[in-house]
DNA sequence: GGTATAAATTGAACGCCGTTTAATTAAGCG
DNA sequence: CGCTTAATTAAACGGCGTTCAATTTATACC
């Protein structure tokens, strides 16, 4: 066969990313392969390599979409709230929610890594700090006279901590059960860091 | 060739784990393969499968050793300290130290996962909570009259948070530089959680 | 409208992976 | 020394990411 032009480059890209997302959710990110994605969209691997530089490039595009989806969901939720502290708590709540609802897509964002030595792709750089900046924005509103550096520092510490709880819980490395829950752990962390932020 | 009996089963296991550790440190955990390990110890893959159930089994043994090494290092450090708060801070400091010194071995512990559906191997179950329990011990000493559940909860929140900072920093997903450092982030988290723990 | 050009798509190949298995080799024993 | 048993190997399998020559088709031009 040859040139079909049923779909443009961009369409094939989008189809591939969508198919990859579904495969990851259905079978886990560890068993995502280029051949499966190609088959799912009715093309062969070759076409995939015509549209993505390599398999990592496909994964990076999928991860970018995952981050965009998650950020959109979270921003939609905090738009309903006026109080910056409440907003931060809602952000944490829905971060956990998204991670729990799409564990494999979420883990792929953090556990994928391009081959050693290569620089972080632009697509990821743009999205790396989106959550941190969202937290920092609201911390700033919570205490407008704090110096920016301090705000950014606290935002980083808080959000990294929340992320840690998510990762360990989702990978089964956290004892949960009984009165133990992710939600309560996150609450403790948010309470602690916010109190510390206020009182000094 | 055939039966050489140069080494016992246990010796070959230990040699393989050591070789795997070196390969991981030298080339990254992503490119660890059974054939490389076999070659490094002067055997073929077949022998490796005679001694481990499969490749995941080898990785699990390596991870167990990594956790043991790290825990030993940390316990050795806190033995020098009497104050439980100081001990917790030293634990955090050396956790970061180990992760930074052996990034690929450390990441392998947390990013490896046995094929979907299989239960957590005993080898890992025994080691999963070692750090949490170490923290809880010292929290308990810090506030002997708190109920055990509360202590365990705080220990989990604190250590997950520290872990989150480590993971994000080591995978290049954290803005560091200038006055930003892992050590300072960790300090903030420890301060926050310990203060919260004391004041309520 | 036929034809040359350029682009999309394929299928087959490459070297590597984890894993399995039959065949070989050597050690231990009577 | 021959037999048994177990360790070790080499080869094979299917699947992986990746590359590329060959093929097919859409498009631009005369």
């Amino acid at each position: 066969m040859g040139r079909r032009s049923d779909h443009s480059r961009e369409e094939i890209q989008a189809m591939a990313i969508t198919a990859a997302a579904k495969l990851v959710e259905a079978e886990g990110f560890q068993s995502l392969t280029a051949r499966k994605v190609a088959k799912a969209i009715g093309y062969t691997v070759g076409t995939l390599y015509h549209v993505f530089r390599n398999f990592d490039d496909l994964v990076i595009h999928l991860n970018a979409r995952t981050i965009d989806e998650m950020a959109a969901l979270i921003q939609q939720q905090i738009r309903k709230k006026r109080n910056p502290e409440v907003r931060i708590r809602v952000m944490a709540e829905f971060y956990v929610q998204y991670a729990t609802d799409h564990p494999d897509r979420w883990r792929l964002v953090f556990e994928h890594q391009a081959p050693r030595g290569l620089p972080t792709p632009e697509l990821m750089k743009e999205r790396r700090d989106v959550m941190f900046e969202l937290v920092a924005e609201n911390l700033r509103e919570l205490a407008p006279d704090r110096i920016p550096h301090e705000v950014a520092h606290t935002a980083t510490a808080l959000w990294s901590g929340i992320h840690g709880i998510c990762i360990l819980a989702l990978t089964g490395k956290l004892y949960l059960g009984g009165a133990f829950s992710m939600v309560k752990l996150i609450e403790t962390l948010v309470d602690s860091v916010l109190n510390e932020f206020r009182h000094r």
Side-chain angles (χ1 to χ4, degrees), chain A:
Chain A
M1 327 214 168
R3 181 173 189 157
R4 302 198 321 222
S5 290
D6 290 345
H7 309 95
S8 71
R9 256 180 119 81
E10 289 71 25
E11 282 172 332
I12 294 183
Q13 265 202 37
M15 287 162 59
I17 296 169
T18 301
K22 283 182 185 158
L23 282 166
V24 166
E25 302 218 348
E27 307 176 12
F29 72 95
Q30 313 262 21
S31 60
L32 182 70
T33 75
R35 284 174 170 87
K36 282 186 193 170
V37 173
K39 191 172 195 178
I41 62 172
Y43 284 87
T44 53
V45 264
T47 299
L48 229 46
Y49 277 82
H50 187 60
V51 159
F52 296 100
R53 267 183 297 127
N54 49 38
F55 186 68
D56 285 315
D57 191 30
L58 166 56
V59 172
I60 286 164
H61 277 78
L62 170 56
N63 283 345
R65 185 186 282 185
T66 301
I67 294 176
D68 289 346
E69 267 184 40
M70 183 180 68
L73 177 88
I74 289 175
Q75 282 183 297
Q76 172 192 329
Q77 295 298 326
I78 63 178
R79 224 174 283 126
K80 304 172 183 169
K81 308 291 177 183
R82 283 287 150 257
N83 184 326
E85 174 167 343
V86 172
R87 284 216 207 94
I88 290 176
R89 291 179 188 277
V90 169
M91 287 174 56
E93 181 189 338
F94 279 90
Y95 190 70
V96 174
Q97 189 63 240
Y98 190 92
T100 309
D101 288 346
H102 312 278
D104 278 276
R105 282 186 64 182
W106 186 81
R107 284 188 59 187
L108 186 56
V109 170
F110 295 100
E111 298 189 21
H112 174 262
Q113 99 168 342
R116 277 192 151 194
L118 288 186
T120 310
E122 215 54 41
L123 218 55
M124 277 296 115
K125 264 192 194 156
E126 295 168 10
R127 285 162 178 85
R128 194 188 53 178
D129 302 331
V130 60
M131 288 306 306
F132 291 107
E133 276 161 15
L134 226 51
V135 179
E137 256 173 51
N138 287 281
L139 272 185
R140 201 177 307 123
E141 198 175 328
L142 198 61
D145 39 344
R146 302 295 275 272
I147 57 175
H149 168 272
E150 215 177 334
V151 172
H153 176 86
T154 303
T156 306
L158 172 57
W159 207 255
S160 302
I162 288 172
H163 176 80
I165 295 174
C166 282
I167 266 281
L168 289 179
L170 255 62
T171 52
K173 292 187 169 65
L174 225 49
Y175 172 75
L176 294 174
F180 273 75
S181 75
M182 282 177 79
V183 175
K184 274 211 178 306
L185 288 169
I186 298 238
E187 214 172 293
T188 297
L189 215 58
V190 175
D191 287 346
S192 303
V193 176
L194 287 188
N195 276 338
E196 184 79 1
F197 182 65
R198 272 188 286 257
H199 294 131
R200 66 162 54 206

